[in-house]
Amino acid sequence: MKRVLTGIKPTGTPHIGNMLGAIRPAIELASSGLDAMYFIADYHALTTVHPPKYGAADLKRLTLEVAATWLALGLDPSTTMFYRQSDVPELFELAWVLQCFTPKGWMNKAHAYKAVADAARAAGETDVDAGINMGVYGYPILMAADILAFDIDLVPVGKDQVQHVEIARDIAQRLNHAYGADLLRMPSAKIDEDAQLVPGVDGRKMSKSYDNVIPLFAPSKKLEKVVKQIATDSTPPEAPKDPATSTIFQIYRALARPDEVAAFAERYRAGIGWGDAKKTLFERIEVEIGEARTRYDALIADPGAIDELLVAGAQRARAIAGATLGRVRRAIGIGV
Ligand code: ADP
Ligand code: TRP
């Protein structure tokens, strides 16, 4: 059976874009006859979720929120291995070994680091590395360990993470070349080409970095308030409107069934007030996430139960990672 793995960074409260672009597709993939491992990359989040901007309680809360979100949206922990990265210490030992085979130049070109350094350069900073910690710099190596520890075939990721999966392959190739072709399994990135990018309230891609998100499990009142903030123009209610250019419509289209989308488009062409359009979207989101929100609220109210479930998941994951690490240690000449 092919094994699939992906990591989710607890760096923000999950939003509708995350659900449509990542969480739902991954849960569907897990139920399509693959052996799935989904984990919360809390130590990757630590590269940015730390003082002065964040405290320890934030990292804890975000980790819990992300776990509860996946469970509320249908991840089945009895069939999908679901765990916290930090509960699998083998990963960090493996990451060190991988570091010793990773040319520094590869990290200079890794996009997470390069984007920050390029921005500093463009801003005329003399020290382009100012403010970049080694966790950010070596990020792809820990990600390679996350993947290579588990003999993974497929890694579902957004386009921005493809380079990191390629780095994992390149590192694996180096070790296999040095110690034998069977040491580490070669993973492939799996990108969902038709995944639509959901716009946020300002019309740009919904992203926590733009502060334009519709939070997934906000209480009804708050959700309604956020939907009302979606940017519109000043066309009068009775004027016919082009649905294709409307952010409200694009979000609706990402959620609703084709027949509902067609009916909504018809209302646009007949002339619809923005207030009505927003109300339609708000009600549709409520229908879409209502039941999951009830599950989410119950889950989040019992953090101990989530912890327990994650620790049990980590135990299963450690058995696999331990075997890989043993194989690697023997191959490289470390330990007994
Ligand atoms: P953000 O942009 O809010 O920081 P992340 O980069 O943490 O979100 O994304 C986590 C996952 O959610 C990724 O797989 C990404 O492709 C998906 N995702 C994020 N934003 C959107 C969006 N607006 N539409 C569709 N998918 C998205
Ligand atoms: N870097 C990924 C992201 O930012 C999260 C991640 C960490 C990951 N380790 C992984 C994804 C391993 C896939 C496989 O979204």
Side-chain angles (χ1 to χ4, degrees), residues 8-9 11 13 15-23 156-161 195-200 204-209 213:
I8 310 101
K9 250 191 321 177
T11 46
T13 299
H15 55 71
I16 287 190
N18 298 142
M19 171 180 81
L20 296 170
I23 306 175
V157 281
K159 287 199 180 78
D160 64 322
Q161 296 296 316
Q196 314 173 25
L197 275 187
V198 184
R204 294 188 291 172
K205 170 195 177 275
M206 189 180 293
S207 169
K208 60 181 167 282
S209 327
V213 309

Side-chain angles (χ1 to χ4, degrees), residues 3 37 88 90-91 93-95 97-98 144-152 172 175-176 182-186 316-332:
R3 195 177 276 162
M37 306 184 64
V88 186
E90 289 78 7
L91 296 174
E93 184 174 343
L94 181 61
V97 177
L98 302 182
D146 292 333
I147 301 168
L148 300 177
F150 299 111
D151 301 327
I152 295 304
L175 271 107
N176 288 354
D182 291 334
L183 190 58
L184 295 169
R185 187 177 299 178
M186 260 338 147
R316 293 162 66 197
R318 288 191 70 181
I320 309 172
T324 309
L325 187 61
R327 200 163 76 221
V328 168
R329 286 170 57 111
R330 277 191 296 282
I332 63 182

Side-chain angles (χ1 to χ4, degrees), residues 4 6 19 21-32 36 38 70 80 156:
V4 41
T6 199
M19 171 180 81
I23 306 175
R24 273 201 186 153
I27 291 173
E28 271 164 34
L29 193 65
S31 57
S32 71
Y38 297 153
W70 280 73
T80 296

